[in-house]
Amino acid sequence: MSVAGIRFDYIHAERLGVPPPGVQLQMNMQVMIEGERAVKRSGITEIPFTISIASAPSVVSVTIRGTAVVQGDVDVKNLPPQVATPIMQAALFEAALIMRELGFPPPLPVQPQTPQSPHYA
């Protein structure tokens, strides 16, 4: 089984105001992969998903709905990581682009990577 594609059907983003000075925004994110609404036909499963992001204090709101097309047999009640991970990555990438356009930081903080020395055999 593999994710053949991800389609975004609905994207809504709204800047509700300006963050108060000196206040750090907290992003609340909810990802729902709706396996009970999945549609199976001829070796392909379409799995709807929704991602919602809201800030505290309430200054930005983002909602993205879409469908992941999966080839092969998949248990929609217990999605394996090779199906769930690409759905989340694509949705979060889209959300990060939208948040940037609205002038806000990405919904997930980026952790700085420590430089690693190369390993030679």
Side-chain angles (χ1 to χ4, degrees):
M1 95 198 78
S2 64
V3 176
I6 294 176
R7 177 181 69 232
F8 297 115
D9 300 322
Y10 175 84
I11 299 174
H12 176 84
E14 188 172 11
R15 184 180 184 135
L16 304 169
V18 178
V23 174
Q24 184 173 357
L25 291 179
Q26 291 187 352
M27 296 295 175
N28 302 313
M29 183 172 43
Q30 182 179 20
V31 178
M32 295 178 293
I33 300 175
E34 304 169 38
E36 66 276 357
R37 291 187 36 219
V39 176
K40 293 184 179 186
R41 59 184 127 172
S42 64
I44 294 177
T45 305
E46 293 184 355
I47 305 170
F49 64 88
T50 302
I51 181 171
S52 300
I53 300 171
S55 66
S58 183
V59 293
V60 66
S61 171
V62 177
T63 303
I64 300 173
R65 290 188 202 122
T67 303
V69 178
V70 180
Q71 291 180 330
D73 190 28
V74 63
D75 179 13
V76 294
K77 294 184 180 174
N78 188 18
L79 285 178
Q82 64 264 29
V83 173
T85 301
I87 294 171
M88 295 210 20
Q89 287 176 339
L92 290 175
F93 179 76
E94 190 71 22
L97 287 176
I98 293 169
M99 295 287 287
R100 182 176 177 187
E101 286 296 317
L102 293 174
F104 291 98
L108 294 175
V110 177
Q111 300 295 327
Q113 298 289 325
T114 57
Q116 296 181 0
S117 59
H119 298 282
Y120 298 103

